[in-house]
Amino acid sequence: MSTDDKNRAIAAAILPLVGGAGNISSVAHCMTRLRLGLRDRSLVQDEALKALPSVMGVVEDDTYQIVLGPGTVARVTPAFEALVAEGAAQAPTHSAEELADKGAALKAARKAKNATPFKLFLRKIANIFVPLIPALIGCGIIAGLNGLLINLGWLPGVTPALAAIASGFMALIAVFVGFNTAKEFGGTPILGGAVAAIIVFAGVAKIEVFGQTLSPGQGGVLGALGAAVLAVYVEKWCRRWVPESLDVLVTPTLTVLVSGLVTIYGLMFVAGEVSQGIGDFANWLLENAGAGAGFLLGGLFLPLVMLGLHQALIPIHTTLIEQQGYTALLPILAMAGAGQVGAAMAAYLRLPRNGSIRRTIKSALPAGFLGVGEPLIYGVSLPLGRPFVTACVGGAFGGGFVGLFSMLGDKVGSTAIGPSGWALFPLLDGNKGLGTTIAIYAGGLIVGYLVGFVATYFWGFSRELIEEFDVDTEAAAPAPVAAGPPAAAPGHEPEPVKV
């Protein structure tokens, strides 16, 4: 079977289990998950979906998220979209409308019950930065390769070109943030990008604000985000008050002019100070309290993920990468995944008779080593309860290990966000040699694995938990006794044997 056929087969297996094409209102994907907007949640067959070999797990948030893993999801999504389009074209119009009305009502009720303004705001922020992750990863790996070539003295004629390729995106990242911000907040994306482009324009170096000369890029992604949000509000105000006959000329002009002036004479300076403060605080924290900060960050990251609060860290990571070339927080947070891996290996040994859980662990561990933690979290540690806590303990000690070396002057950072686990090795950077950086990160992973394993093996399972879960889930039903049950009367079915 060709790769295209395989991806289409995966998509075809998923589609009927989420209610068919008529039940899909939107399709998107992130690094590991197929994110679906559903009209009627009750049509989804959760257990059948989880049983598919290609599905690592499911997560329900503002969208229904199917975990397929990195690489796979990017290939399956286009095939899924094609099947949805084909199904929608064949579906009767009236049934789709009825389904949409019913689904909209259910979705509105669910959102009103579960969504909070703060979480909705964080989702918007995540939606701005998540589409940028592939470019951050690609450019980060090229930057790492270029640094290695420079250190080895190889290909001196090529390294300047690689530097340009690796740095071009970061030089203009503010423009992409502005574009996505305007799109997410309901404005015209290109106007958001146009206002954000002011921040990286070289000509701002000729402008003086509050007695200081501006620098190109001052304020970075935070300034771009604020400028684009302001542009959205100015644009919406213009749409309400500018006559329709003049709208095409006046609205974009006023949007760019007003937002641009506020950005130059206010936002760039303020956002620059905030960005500098974030960088200074991160440096101070890791240099003076690195072990304790690493312990807390590594231990609390998974609960933050469960609450959706980890999305608030994305702009911080991006700001640090923009300022320093890497974020020293991500390798510490990646230790949470190491704790999960260690806890899962302990659960595998502590539940020798539960073939179902052991199979889940065996299939999910490779992804866990590569930093994809959802299958282990939702398939193993979280349902078991206490192993989720002991996994967090493993992450805490791994984070503390990496943070300790930051206190000693050996910072470990990542040039991009997104990957974790072993997949983070190509993106590592720091203030010392690459060998030292890799050794510290690898040591943190090993500490996370070992502590997560030991904590889970000895304290992750109570006697009651062992009795409940360490059972043979595939045991055959007991054979009938020799005499057998009495024959059923004619016209009646025999009573089932109760076991």
Side-chain angles (χ1 to χ4, degrees):
M1 181 184 292
S2 69
T3 303
D4 290 342
D5 290 341
K6 180 182 177 182
N7 295 331
R8 187 175 177 86
I10 294 174
I14 293 173
L15 184 57
L17 300 181
V18 293
N23 196 35
I24 307 299
S25 61
S26 65
V27 181
H29 74 88
C30 59
M31 287 289 295
T32 59
R33 305 177 187 181
L34 175 64
R35 298 171 178 258
L36 304 179
L38 302 176
R39 294 191 171 95
D40 188 347
R41 172 63 180 83
S42 65
L43 298 179
V44 178
Q45 303 175 44
D46 294 288
E47 296 306 318
L49 196 59
K50 294 176 185 177
L52 293 178
S54 55
V55 174
M56 298 178 178
V58 298
V59 181
E60 187 168 3
D61 200 347
D62 57 328
T63 57
Y64 191 80
Q65 303 169 15
I66 303 171
V67 184
L68 298 176
T72 301
V73 68
R75 292 171 173 82
V76 171
T77 299
F80 189 87
E81 288 175 326
L83 290 177
V84 170
E86 293 171 8
Q90 298 170 2
T93 303
H94 69 277
S95 61
E97 291 175 350
E98 293 170 359
L99 190 63
D101 291 341
K102 181 180 178 182
L106 290 172
K107 186 175 182 180
R110 187 172 67 251
K111 278 193 171 184
K113 181 179 179 181
N114 298 327
T116 64
F118 183 62
K119 286 188 177 180
L120 291 175
F121 174 75
L122 290 181
R123 286 175 192 149
K124 284 182 178 291
I125 299 299
N127 290 340
I128 292 167
F129 288 93
V130 167
L132 307 180
I133 289 177
L136 286 169
I137 293 172
C139 294
I141 291 177
I142 294 171
L145 174 62
N146 191 52
L148 181 62
L149 291 176
I150 291 174
N151 290 335
L152 295 174
W154 294 355
L155 302 176
V158 176
T159 51
L162 292 179
I165 294 170
S167 304
F169 173 73
M170 287 306 302
L172 297 174
I173 189 172
V175 179
F176 296 99
V177 169
F179 184 95
N180 287 349
T181 300
K183 181 179 178 181
E184 186 65 28
F185 281 84
T188 302
I190 197 64
L191 293 180
V195 174
I198 298 169
I199 292 173
V200 295
F201 177 55
V204 298
K206 301 176 182 179
I207 303 172
E208 189 173 297
V209 177
F210 301 121
Q212 299 181 16
T213 301
L214 294 178
S215 302
Q218 185 173 337
V221 295
L222 297 183
L225 195 154
V229 170
L230 175 62
V232 169
Y233 281 100
V234 173
E235 181 188 359
K236 289 182 177 179
W237 183 90
C238 291
R239 301 289 184 200
R240 286 198 304 268
W241 297 103
V242 173
E244 188 173 339
S245 58
L246 299 175
D247 181 72
V248 70
L249 297 174
V250 174
T251 296
T253 303
L254 284 179
T255 298
V256 174
L257 178 62
V258 173
S259 304
L261 289 172
V262 174
T263 298
I264 291 172
Y265 290 103
L267 281 176
M268 286 186 68
F269 178 83
V270 173
E273 293 298 307
V274 173
S275 298
Q276 188 63 45
I278 290 173
D280 291 344
F281 178 73
N283 290 334
W284 178 89
L285 186 65
L286 294 176
E287 290 169 3
N288 296 277
F295 189 89
L296 289 175
L297 290 172
L300 295 177
F301 184 62
L302 287 179
L304 287 177
V305 172
M306 301 302 301
L307 295 172
L309 301 178
H310 67 296
Q311 295 165 341
L313 297 172
I314 296 177
I316 297 175
H317 287 312
T318 310
T319 297
L320 292 175
I321 292 172
E322 195 176 33
Q323 282 183 351
Q324 305 173 8
Y326 57 82
T327 168
L329 298 180
L330 186 59
I332 291 175
L333 299 176
M335 296 302 120
Q340 282 291 325
V341 169
M345 291 190 287
Y348 186 88
L349 296 180
R350 292 288 273 158
L351 302 176
R353 292 189 292 175
N354 193 317
S356 175
I357 290 181
R358 285 165 69 91
R359 269 198 313 274
T360 298
I361 294 173
K362 286 175 67 177
S363 64
L365 268 179
F369 279 114
L370 292 174
V372 181
E374 288 96 334
L376 290 177
I377 294 172
Y378 296 107
V380 182
S381 65
L382 193 60
L384 291 174
R386 192 183 291 185
F388 180 78
V389 177
T390 52
C392 293
V393 172
F397 276 89
F401 179 89
V402 177
L404 175 62
F405 278 91
S406 291
M407 288 181 66
L408 299 176
D410 297 316
K411 285 187 180 178
V412 177
S414 170
T415 57
I417 58 177
S420 183
W422 293 2
L424 197 62
F425 277 110
L427 296 168
L428 291 178
D429 196 2
N431 61 342
K432 297 295 178 67
L434 184 61
T436 301
T437 301
I438 290 176
I440 294 172
Y441 181 71
L445 289 178
I446 292 172
V447 170
Y449 296 152
L450 289 177
V451 175
F453 178 89
V454 171
T456 304
Y457 191 88
F458 290 103
W459 297 286
F461 289 89
S462 63
R463 180 178 300 175
E464 293 79 9
L465 201 62
I466 291 290
E467 291 175 354
E468 179 180 357
F469 285 96
D470 191 23
V471 294
D472 188 353
T473 57
E474 300 169 350
V481 295
H492 292 79
E493 293 293 330
E495 291 290 327
V497 179
K498 295 183 179 179
V499 294

